[in-house]
Amino acid sequence: MPFLSVSFANFRNLRNGPIDLLAGEVFFVGENGQGKSNILEALYYTAYGNSFRTHTDSQLIKHGENAFSLKAMFRCENGHTDVVSVLYQNGKKRIEKNAKRIADRKEMVNTIPCVLFCHDDLDFATGEPERRRFFIDQSLSMYDVLYIDILRRYKKILKSRNQLLKDRQTDMLDVYDQHLVQHGLEIQEKRRNAVFTFNRIFTPLYEKVTGISGVSIQYEPSWKNGSDNYLPSAEEVCFHMKKRREADCAVGTTLSGPHRDRIYFIRGEMPFIPIASTGQRRLTAVLLRIAQAVFYTEITGKKPVLLMDDVLLELDPVKRQSVIALLPAHDQLFCTFLPGEPYDYYKTPNTRIYTIHEGVWNE
């Protein structure tokens, strides 16, 4: 189990001090607003260097304070105990692993791989295309540092290209297009391969839980060769970009590329989400996360930590049992529950249960 403990100092509403996490499964039970999700947020932060609930680190500081810190102790594969510490103060963040500063959050990839299940995951099924692109990008970024670099370079070039379009400075666009296309096609190739692997996992999972067969993820790249979704050559895309340049200039932005890729759910040849029930949509989001964990293990051979934030509450009792039974192999499981939920039914002899009230935890 990777997480042995985590210590809080002025983080959200949580009591300052350490919480012992030495267990294969840890349940946090309490009413809404008491701090259950804050603990999961802290674990996620020490794993990836950012929050899953806000982009503004200052919001994580306890009211009346001017800084926060976290320190997680975890057991790595070789059996050694490592430490990740975070200090946020005066608008600056410092992250260290074993007292060595981490300059780039990509260095934290594979340190404590976590798969997060939360209410906002519903966006992956029903939200904007950007959210589904984010999910696939996140799945790849969990293990592929090269993909993180490619994605960053693409976004940087795209930003510069868009500024040239707004300024009507077209002289340099040929050069920018070549670099944009190079990195963009690499992104699309990795996304296409990821979706192909995801469907091997997701489609049978969905059928097993719901009895609905043939639900799959469809990837439609913005740059494609005809209607078959095959990726074109770099030369073909550069020609396309030049042909569309006038339209790009008219709106001051780049109208094609991986940032315009579409990912959606189909059954057979028809869109699935528009006709799916609310329960089926929620289940789609949960099973996507399960597939993400399985995907990670298949690629790396490592088991992730599962962070489940009130997601079981949104499923009916039968579906809850099905999801629990299908949870993938994991190093550790953290779940949050309301007091009235039948969490005792899900526990094992290896489960540790904390009750949370006003940021204070008790066994």
Side-chain angles (χ1 to χ4, degrees), residues 63-133:
H63 181 68
E65 303 293 340
N66 58 15
F68 78 82
S69 66
L70 299 167
K71 183 169 73 172
M73 299 183 66
F74 64 96
R75 186 170 295 150
C76 49
E77 288 183 308
N78 60 14
H80 293 163
T81 298
D82 288 355
V83 178
V84 169
S85 60
V86 179
L87 172 64
Y88 180 81
Q89 189 173 34
N90 299 324
K92 296 182 180 180
K93 175 164 52 182
R94 183 182 181 91
I95 304 175
E96 296 181 349
K97 181 179 177 181
N98 297 330
K100 182 180 178 181
R101 184 166 188 174
I102 291 176
D104 191 320
R105 286 194 295 113
K106 72 179 183 181
E107 298 174 38
M108 303 179 76
V109 169
N110 280 329
T111 296
I112 318 174
C114 293
V115 173
L116 171 74
F117 298 70
C118 66
H119 174 77
D120 289 346
D121 292 349
L122 185 61
D123 284 351
F124 299 147
T126 64
E128 297 298 319
E130 179 184 2
R131 292 296 292 155
R132 287 184 285 283
R133 290 193 297 267

Side-chain angles (χ1 to χ4, degrees), residues 80-329:
H80 293 163
T81 298
D82 288 355
V83 178
V84 169
S85 60
V86 179
L87 172 64
Y88 180 81
Q89 189 173 34
N90 299 324
K92 296 182 180 180
K93 175 164 52 182
R94 183 182 181 91
I95 304 175
E96 296 181 349
K97 181 179 177 181
N98 297 330
K100 182 180 178 181
R101 184 166 188 174
I102 291 176
D104 191 320
R105 286 194 295 113
K106 72 179 183 181
E107 298 174 38
M108 303 179 76
V109 169
N110 280 329
T111 296
I112 318 174
C114 293
V115 173
L116 171 74
F117 298 70
C118 66
H119 174 77
D120 289 346
D121 292 349
L122 185 61
D123 284 351
F124 299 147
T126 64
E128 297 298 319
E130 179 184 2
R131 292 296 292 155
R132 287 184 285 283
R133 290 193 297 267
F134 169 82
F135 176 80
I136 297 298
D137 289 342
Q138 182 189 65
S139 301
L140 287 162
S141 298
M142 285 179 65
Y143 68 90
D144 191 344
V145 175
L146 178 60
Y147 186 74
I148 297 173
D149 287 335
I150 294 170
L151 202 58
R152 285 177 175 178
R153 286 196 291 267
Y154 177 85
K155 290 178 178 179
K156 184 177 180 180
I157 296 166
L158 179 65
K159 183 178 180 180
S160 297
R161 187 182 192 272
N162 286 341
Q163 189 60 53
L164 290 174
L165 290 169
K166 290 174 184 175
D167 295 340
R168 301 280 179 168
Q169 297 178 3
T170 60
D171 294 348
M172 292 292 294
L173 285 178
D174 283 341
V175 175
Y176 275 87
D177 285 358
Q178 289 176 10
H179 293 293
L180 192 77
V181 169
Q182 175 192 343
H183 298 308
L185 286 175
E186 290 182 81
I187 290 169
Q188 290 187 328
E189 180 67 23
K190 286 179 177 287
R191 283 179 178 173
R192 185 177 65 173
N193 292 339
V195 169
F196 176 82
T197 302
F198 253 84
N199 278 328
R200 284 198 299 103
I201 302 166
F202 176 80
T203 300
L205 264 179
Y206 202 90
E207 182 174 5
K208 191 167 186 177
V209 175
T210 66
I212 301 173
S213 62
V215 177
S216 63
I217 307 167
Q218 179 77 26
Y219 175 51
E220 184 178 310
S222 173
W223 299 330
K224 56 186 178 180
N225 191 349
S227 60
D228 51 14
N229 283 352
Y230 287 146
L231 298 182
S233 67
E235 291 76 15
E236 289 172 317
V237 179
C238 284
F239 177 77
H240 164 82
M241 296 289 287
K242 198 162 189 174
K243 192 176 179 181
R244 294 291 304 274
R245 190 170 293 175
E246 188 175 335
D248 288 353
C249 286
V251 295
T253 193
T254 304
L255 295 173
S256 66
H259 61 291
R260 301 280 181 166
D261 286 354
R262 308 217 26 119
I263 299 167
Y264 47 92
F265 297 89
I266 60 171
R267 187 184 183 202
E269 300 296 324
M270 300 297 294
F272 175 68
I273 293 300
I275 62 171
S277 67
T278 300
Q280 289 168 343
R281 294 174 181 180
R282 292 194 184 280
L283 202 55
T284 298
V286 173
L287 295 180
L288 269 180
R289 284 301 195 187
I290 292 178
Q292 187 180 58
V294 175
F295 175 80
Y296 176 81
T297 299
E298 284 191 3
I299 298 294
T300 67
K302 300 176 182 179
K303 295 181 290 187
V305 174
L306 306 184
L307 308 175
M308 304 189 72
D309 190 15
D310 283 346
V311 291
L312 295 178
L313 181 65
E314 299 172 350
L315 303 176
D316 65 60
V318 174
K319 295 297 188 295
R320 288 187 198 182
Q321 292 301 320
S322 298
V323 168
I324 289 292
L326 288 172
L327 284 181

